[in-house]
Amino acid sequence: MKNCKPFEKQLVAYLHGELNETDAAALDRHLESCAACRAELAAQRATLDLLGEALAAAPAPAQLVAKRDIPHRPAAHRTTLADYWYSPQFRAGLVTAATASIFVFISLSFVVVQVVKKESPAFTADEVAIEVPAPQEPHVELQKLKVPQLEKSVAQSAPKPKLKKQVVAKSSPTFKAVPVPEAAPIISAEALGDEGLVASLGFSSQPWGQDKGVGEPLVRRGVWQATPAEFNTEQYDRIVDNAFKDAMDNPLSTFSIDVDRAAYANVRRYLTGNRLPPPDAVRIEEMVNYFEYDYPQPSGEDPFAVSMEVADCPWNQAHRLALIGLQGLDIETRNLPPNNLVFLLDVSGSMNAPNKLPLLKSAMRLLVNQLRPEDRVAIVVYAGAAGCVLEPTADKAQIFDAINRLKAGGSTAGGAGIRLAYQTAQDHFLPNGNNRVILATDGDFNVGVSSDGDLTRLIEEKRKSGVFLSVLGFGTGNLKDSKMEKLAGHGNGNYAYIDDILEAKKVLVNEMGGTLVTIAKDVKVQVEFNPRQVKAYRLIGYENRLLAKEDFDNDQKDAGELGAGHTVTALYELVPAGAGEPIRQAGKLKYQKTKLIDSDDLMTVKLRYKQPGGIASKLIVQTVKADDLNDLRAGANIGFASAVAEFGLLLRRSEHKGAANYGEVIRRARQTRGADVEGYRAEFIRLVEKAQMLDSEAVFLAE
């Protein structure tokens, strides 16, 4: 607390409510940003509580009631411990003495640690030291207060951590051991197999629906754990819903495609934990794109096919809903190009939780089991430093061995790890292969290059080498969602959030081609609306993917990537021409006049994309007629996509949600669920039902 001197002496008075309003407010603000002072305050409060319990258990003096009636008692008359206890001066002195004892204990511990570090052998340049500080709790000994029960409870409050071996990885699979607190047990992939891995994490031994009825909802249970609000440092970018734009003034809408699905898994994590997600965690386009749709496969030379549908808008019957769908070319695993994969794994202290590093290791085993003899895997780890613990190899036994040895500890030097991972991928670059870094982290970068701007510039520089980046997010409490989304977007890759082993299987096994293999890059969409048919329009979601209209024809402008087998869905809410509702418009122009032409077109959709290794884009153009209207109940694609979008509007408390309600979402999702072989859509319905019960506004309306 050397930087907190102005507040140190106020903590005791703060506990007794003796600070004035100004000082108390200043201390409250300081405590919000200072973990050390919060810990000190908690230790002092615990000391007072223990003393209070001890005194409550002791026999009360016969004159206690009478003494309390005396407003001012001279110090000379205090003859019992209880008399002193009711003196603020005595309590302040006692807490100060206890605090001093804690400082002495911590100082001695620090000196011992420094001595141990000096006596430890120095590591060579190619070693990576991964350390975890042993967890310690403040321990206060009350020698003068002879209360056996109190002494026993204090002794039990500070358990001694068990020590076991910790990995220090070199650039070869040789490891050195240092003592750290006991971590989760290592799971052997070969011994357990896929089902054993699932069971070991607390899930059903039949997680993937092979023995269930078609469409049965998935059961997710196990590694999620709530984080107290005061320790929650998760970060989400502010999202402002797209507004309606006048089709006369702004006939063009331009955006980059987005195939990320992280927001849906993150929303599911909140709902599974019986909490509604924060509105900025709900990116509607990622929720819609989490699901596969029945779009046709491409039949021409383009690597994807384009589909379009129009229907009445379910949450505003006066409006229409337009769907644009892309279907990427499916490629069988055996026909995929060879992989040059570099796993960049966060093994810092923040990853030391059951739903972080242990889940990450299990997810990696699932992916490694799918790799072919021509695929190569390297592993780079980063904590206080970065190092390559496994050079590129196709030997699965070596890969599993390196995975099993991973442990968490230390701060997070993410920038150094990213540089080393890209360099490793470039050193073993496959000209006709898939060269990719797979970053797995909770996003908690706190050492070295850490600002969003510095990291994105670093990623943009590295992507020029032809190495793409995929990001896998893990954990709760300090998830840096906004940072990981930026990294994936600027690294020509995709971002997924892994909340359990089922999601790991979906991302890394079922959708391995789309996750790892890019078939089209810099994919942009531009829609021109016909003002004779459309008064105004609103793009639902994609708020952080919007592009200027001039960017569409600019091949230097980066955009989204499409993976093998991936689908992309975008929804527009349209206000028909002639509708009476007011729309914000720009003022009249003095030097220009707009002349409309007769056309029964509703809109024209243009797309641009590049081949994965190309530098020039190709243009695709398709038109939608105004009378091409579908039935939401009959159209499984637009029907189910609209249900997911409506759910997102409700979770976001969007000003554009209109008459949206959970009951209608559930009804339409059930009608358009389709085959649902994996059970994802049935699981969605269960999540909507849970959100309906958690949402106090929905409960109030139902009553």
Side-chain angles (χ1 to χ4, degrees):
M1 292 176 58
K2 66 179 182 180
N3 297 325
C4 307
K5 291 296 183 184
F7 302 100
E8 180 178 351
K9 297 180 179 180
Q10 296 180 349
L11 292 178
V12 174
Y14 181 84
L15 284 172
H16 296 295
E18 297 172 355
L19 288 181
N20 59 44
E21 293 184 2
T22 302
D23 291 341
L27 183 53
D28 283 334
R29 290 192 297 272
H30 176 71
L31 289 172
E32 290 178 358
S33 60
C34 182
C37 286
R38 288 199 303 272
E40 179 63 24
L41 182 65
Q44 293 189 17
R45 182 178 287 115
T47 302
L48 287 177
D49 291 343
L50 290 172
L51 288 171
E53 293 175 4
L55 290 171
Q63 301 84 0
L64 181 60
V65 176
K67 291 174 182 175
R68 285 183 176 174
D69 293 335
I70 300 175
H72 301 287
R73 183 173 179 84
H77 293 172
R78 295 186 180 122
T79 58
T80 68
L81 181 59
D83 290 333
Y84 281 95
W85 173 247
Y86 285 100
S87 166
Q89 293 85 356
F90 176 77
R91 287 181 290 172
L94 185 60
V95 172
T96 302
T99 303
S101 300
I102 294 173
F103 276 120
V104 171
F105 177 77
I106 294 174
S107 301
L108 290 175
S109 300
F110 178 79
V111 171
V112 172
V113 170
Q114 295 301 315
V115 171
V116 171
K117 285 185 176 180
K118 289 181 180 179
E119 294 178 354
S120 300
F123 296 110
T124 58
D126 62 342
E127 292 178 328
V128 181
I130 305 171
E131 300 178 357
V132 179
Q136 305 226 354
E137 298 181 4
H139 180 65
V140 181
E141 295 184 0
L142 304 175
Q143 298 178 353
K144 294 183 179 181
L145 196 59
K146 302 299 183 180
V147 183
Q149 292 182 348
L150 177 62
E151 294 176 356
K152 181 178 180 181
S153 63
V154 172
Q156 291 176 347
S157 67
K160 296 181 180 180
K162 296 180 180 180
L163 297 180
K164 67 181 297 183
K165 299 295 184 180
Q166 166 66 358
V167 171
V168 178
K170 296 184 177 182
S171 59
S172 64
T174 303
F175 299 93
K176 190 180 294 183
V178 296
V180 298
E182 185 174 15
I186 293 174
I187 304 171
S188 171
E190 295 178 353
L192 294 178
D194 287 349
E195 293 189 2
L197 290 173
V198 173
S200 69
L201 290 176
F203 295 95
S204 166
S205 62
Q206 298 174 345
W208 304 319
Q210 64 269 31
D211 293 327
K212 299 181 302 200
V214 173
E216 183 177 340
L218 300 171
V219 178
R220 299 174 185 271
R221 51 191 173 85
V223 298
W224 188 92
Q225 52 188 3
T227 302
E230 61 269 24
F231 299 109
N232 194 318
T233 61
E234 296 188 3
Q235 294 178 0
Y236 302 96
D237 272 349
R238 177 78 169 91
I239 297 177
V240 179
D241 289 347
N242 292 325
F244 280 99
K245 292 192 173 183
D246 181 83
M248 184 75 74
D249 296 334
N250 300 281
L252 296 176
S253 173
T254 311
F255 65 95
S256 163
I257 69 162
D258 186 5
V259 296
D260 294 343
R261 287 95 180 270
Y264 181 85
N266 195 26
V267 166
R268 180 180 60 212
R269 184 252 301 187
Y270 274 96
L271 294 175
T272 302
N274 298 315
R275 293 186 296 165
L276 290 174
D280 291 327
V282 183
R283 293 188 290 273
I284 296 179
E285 73 279 4
E286 293 188 19
M287 295 183 65
V288 172
N289 283 319
Y290 183 84
F291 301 94
E292 299 294 328
Y293 297 92
D294 189 21
Y295 300 141
Q297 278 287 312
S299 57
E301 59 182 10
D302 296 317
F304 58 86
V306 183
S307 300
M308 286 173 284
E309 299 178 35
V310 181
D312 291 328
C313 181
W315 53 87
N316 191 327
Q317 291 299 318
H319 295 178
R320 288 186 175 181
L321 199 64
L323 176 147
I324 302 171
L326 308 183
Q327 174 63 62
L329 178 66
D330 274 327
I331 303 176
E332 294 187 14
T333 301
R334 66 174 181 271
N335 296 326
L336 293 174
N339 290 303
N340 169 31
L341 305 178
V342 179
F343 289 107
L344 174 57
L345 308 181
D346 182 353
V347 293
S348 63
S350 67
M351 291 289 287
N352 193 19
N355 59 351
K356 293 187 179 182
L357 187 58
L359 178 58
L360 163 59
K361 293 163 69 173
S362 296
M364 284 186 61
R365 294 184 187 102
L366 294 179
L367 176 58
V368 171
N369 275 330
Q370 305 300 312
L371 297 180
R372 305 156 301 173
E374 61 267 30
D375 298 327
R376 297 291 183 272
V377 168
I379 298 179
V380 172
V381 299
Y382 64 95
C388 184
V389 300
L390 181 67
E391 293 293 337
T393 180
D395 188 333
K396 291 186 179 181
Q398 289 187 29
I399 300 173
F400 284 132
D401 182 62
I403 293 172
N404 290 340
R405 293 174 180 269
L406 296 174
K407 295 289 185 295
S411 56
T412 315
I418 290 173
R419 288 191 178 93
L420 180 57
Y422 271 101
Q423 186 60 53
T424 302
Q426 291 167 14
D427 290 344
H428 301 86
F429 190 84
L430 298 176
N432 297 317
N434 170 42
N435 301 276
R436 186 173 297 263
V437 171
I438 301 176
L439 168 61
T441 178
D442 59 3
D444 191 11
F445 297 92
N446 51 43
V447 173
V449 178
S450 59
S451 72
D452 287 0
D454 290 340
L455 284 170
T456 53
R457 278 189 287 271
L458 173 61
I459 296 297
E460 287 175 349
E461 174 190 345
K462 297 298 183 181
R463 77 183 180 203
K464 297 175 183 177
S465 66
V467 179
F468 291 177
L469 174 71
S470 291
V471 180
L472 304 179
F474 289 83
T476 65
N478 64 343
L479 179 69
K480 301 302 183 286
D481 175 86
S482 57
K483 183 170 295 187
M484 290 188 285
E485 186 194 18
K486 287 186 178 72
L487 293 181
H490 289 272
N492 283 356
N494 49 297
Y495 164 42
Y497 176 74
I498 309 297
D499 57 334
D500 61 24
I501 197 67
L502 293 175
E503 186 65 13
K505 178 180 180 291
K506 180 179 188 292
V507 173
L508 299 176
V509 178
N510 298 357
E511 301 171 357
M512 186 178 73
T515 302
L516 301 181
V517 179
T518 298
I519 60 174
K521 70 176 184 179
D522 293 339
V523 183
K524 309 170 191 174
V525 179
Q526 186 170 77
V527 182
E528 181 180 356
F529 294 96
N530 180 6
R532 281 195 177 276
Q533 304 293 338
V534 178
K535 180 177 182 179
Y537 63 88
R538 189 179 85 84
L539 177 61
I540 301 174
Y542 291 91
E543 286 85 0
N544 58 358
R545 295 279 183 164
L546 299 179
L547 299 174
K549 60 184 178 182
E550 297 83 7
D551 291 335
F552 182 73
D553 294 319
N554 180 7
D555 282 351
Q556 302 303 312
K557 182 66 177 180
D558 182 60
E561 279 61 48
L562 183 66
H566 265 168
T567 61
V568 178
T569 302
L571 294 169
Y572 279 93
E573 184 175 352
L574 311 179
V575 180
E581 64 182 273
I583 300 294
R584 289 184 179 180
Q585 293 178 304
K588 293 184 179 180
L589 299 177
K590 180 178 180 180
Y591 303 108
Q592 300 181 37
K593 289 186 178 181
T594 302
K595 181 180 179 180
L596 301 180
I597 63 172
D598 291 331
S599 173
D600 59 356
D601 292 347
L602 182 71
M603 60 186 187
T604 296
V605 179
K606 297 183 291 184
L607 298 100
R608 282 194 178 276
Y609 76 94
K610 300 174 188 172
Q611 295 291 338
I615 57 175
S617 65
K618 181 178 179 180
L619 176 66
I620 300 175
V621 180
Q622 291 196 20
T623 302
V624 180
K625 297 296 182 181
D627 56 358
D628 291 345
L629 197 63
N630 297 85
D631 186 342
L632 277 175
R633 293 171 297 179
N637 290 332
I638 194 169
F640 191 83
S642 68
V644 180
E646 186 171 349
F647 183 44
L649 294 174
L650 289 166
L651 292 178
R652 285 193 49 73
R653 300 284 197 272
S654 173
E655 62 179 306
H656 303 292
K657 65 180 180 179
N661 64 88
Y662 292 102
E664 174 61 20
V665 171
I666 295 169
R667 184 192 65 79
R668 195 163 64 258
R670 285 174 175 166
Q671 288 178 337
T672 58
R673 190 174 66 181
D676 193 22
V677 176
E678 296 285 349
Y680 298 127
R681 295 190 175 192
E683 180 192 45
F684 167 78
I685 295 170
R686 298 293 179 266
L687 291 178
V688 179
E689 292 172 340
K690 177 173 281 192
Q692 184 179 28
M693 291 183 284
L694 293 171
D695 192 332
S696 58
E697 181 178 314
V699 172
F700 175 78
L701 292 175
E703 294 176 350

